[in-house]
Amino acid sequence: MSKNEWAQPFLKWAGGKRQLLPEIIKYIPANIDTYYEPFVGAGAVLLHLQPDKAVSNDINSELINTYQVVRDHIDDLIADLSKHVNDKDYFYRIRELDRKEEFKFLTPVERASRMIYLNKTCFNGLFRVNSQGQFNVPFGNYKNPSIVNEKVLRAVHDYLVNADVKFLNGDFAEAVEGAKKGDFVYFDPPYDPVSDTSSFTSYSLHRFDAKQQIRLKELFDELNDRGCRVMLSNSTTPFIKDLYKDYHVKIVGAKRNINSKASGRGEIDEVLVMNYGEE
């Protein structure tokens, strides 16, 4: 299947991989049976590779619903997105829906439309929820945000309907239960914080702490034993470098544009961990 260059991330996402893509693709295996991405996020790697067969997972149910709607109901989604306006009062009315009983009665299309609208108009494109699972990012006050990027949305739709891409909404370990020799798994988990104030794991109610990082490493080991080729990206903390010291570790630079403080943006070092050599 030929690639569509317009099939790109349609959401801005904390930890998104668009900036790191040039480094990641240097080390992607040439031949992949099934591509697995248990923390798909905005899907930069998935949409760049556009594999014929993939299993994509995320713990964020609103995100996975949005992918499914882009695949299955693109015309209805674009029509609903066109109803939204870039207005502060309107933004807060839409944002407050998940605090009301009526939220559970929204259709999948309406939920996906809300997700994309909030992402395009909220401050810095963050997706963040509070302890009750309610979206709590303030209005971004942007002059002319692209709420309806129809060309990109239709390109992503075309890819998803022409490829065998399965979307899951569960634990990262469950997402790779079927992975076997010949498959490629890319892990892009919430990063180990480089400082006490840098942690951002509020994509959902589920926090990703050191215990989860250790559980992920144990799964990395298990996939290695199965014969899968596995790549993981994370921050260059001593904890992560020690955790994966038995594997190939590459230090790479990536720009970060999502941070509540301007001083936290810019180029930072990250690690790519692989259980195979350069191909």
Side-chain angles (χ1 to χ4, degrees):
M1 187 172 66
S2 59
K3 284 188 181 182
N4 185 336
E5 293 184 2
W6 283 98
Q8 305 166 5
F10 52 87
L11 296 170
K12 193 173 182 180
W13 207 253
K17 285 295 166 288
R18 295 184 89 167
Q19 301 295 337
L20 196 59
L21 263 178
E23 291 296 327
I24 291 173
I25 61 177
K26 291 179 185 178
Y27 308 110
I28 299 269
N31 298 304
I32 300 169
D33 291 340
T34 301
Y35 173 75
Y36 285 83
E37 191 169 354
F39 304 90
V40 69
V45 179
L46 171 71
L47 295 173
H48 177 82
L49 295 177
Q50 295 178 32
D52 292 335
K53 188 174 183 180
V55 177
S56 298
N57 175 78
D58 204 281
I59 198 69
N60 188 314
S61 58
E62 293 303 303
L63 175 65
I64 294 301
N65 172 72
T66 300
Y67 278 117
Q68 292 170 329
V69 167
V70 169
R71 181 191 62 199
D72 300 333
H73 305 288
I74 188 63
D75 291 330
D76 292 339
L77 174 62
I78 289 171
D80 201 89
L81 275 171
S82 300
K83 300 174 184 177
H84 294 303
V85 294
N86 183 38
D87 173 81
K88 185 175 182 179
D89 291 339
Y90 177 84
F91 171 89
Y92 283 110
R93 287 202 302 275
I94 298 299
R95 195 188 80 162
E96 299 302 304
L97 284 174
D98 61 9
R99 293 152 172 81
K100 299 179 179 179
E101 183 72 13
E102 64 189 274
F103 184 70
K104 65 176 68 174
F105 299 107
L106 294 181
T107 67
V109 169
E110 289 170 333
R111 284 168 49 207
S113 175
R114 174 182 179 269
M115 171 110 177
I116 295 173
Y117 167 71
L118 292 176
N119 182 264
K120 297 295 186 181
T121 56
C122 75
F123 176 71
N124 210 25
L126 281 171
F127 185 94
R128 184 187 66 203
V129 296
N130 61 21
S131 59
Q132 283 76 49
Q134 300 161 340
F135 188 82
N136 66 351
V137 183
F139 184 58
N141 202 30
Y142 300 119
K143 190 172 183 179
N144 189 29
S146 177
I147 297 171
V148 190
N149 194 338
E150 184 170 352
K151 191 167 186 176
V152 167
L153 286 169
R154 289 196 180 278
V156 174
H157 164 79
D158 289 343
Y159 163 63
L160 294 178
V161 296
N162 287 296
D164 179 6
V165 182
K166 184 177 183 180
F167 286 106
L168 303 175
N169 174 218
D171 183 74
F172 61 84
E174 295 173 359
V176 296
E177 284 181 351
K180 60 190 184 306
K181 186 176 181 179
D183 295 337
F184 175 61
V185 181
Y186 172 55
F187 287 119
D188 182 29
Y191 279 17
D192 186 47
V194 295
S195 69
D196 292 339
T197 59
S198 67
S199 178
F200 182 79
T201 59
S202 303
Y203 313 107
S204 70
L205 287 174
H206 307 272
R207 298 298 186 261
F208 208 87
D209 57 15
K211 289 182 180 179
Q212 294 297 316
Q213 297 284 1
I214 292 170
R215 190 164 74 92
L216 176 57
K217 194 270 179 179
E218 291 170 348
L219 181 60
F220 193 109
D221 293 337
E222 180 186 327
L223 291 167
N224 179 62
D225 292 341
R226 284 191 225 170
C228 301
R229 286 166 293 183
V230 190
M231 176 190 288
L232 173 139
S233 53
N234 215 312
S235 51
T236 55
T237 61
F239 172 62
I240 293 297
K241 288 191 286 186
D242 182 67
L243 201 59
Y244 291 94
K245 63 182 182 295
D246 295 328
Y247 293 102
H248 300 286
V249 177
K250 297 279 184 182
I251 307 296
V252 295
K255 290 184 178 179
R256 282 281 164 252
N257 297 317
I258 295 185
N259 196 296
S260 59
K261 296 179 182 179
S263 60
R265 302 172 200 152
E267 187 157 311
I268 59 172
D269 284 339
E270 302 186 8
V271 296
L272 288 180
V273 180
M274 293 160 280
N275 70 335
Y276 54 90
E278 298 179 29
E279 300 191 359

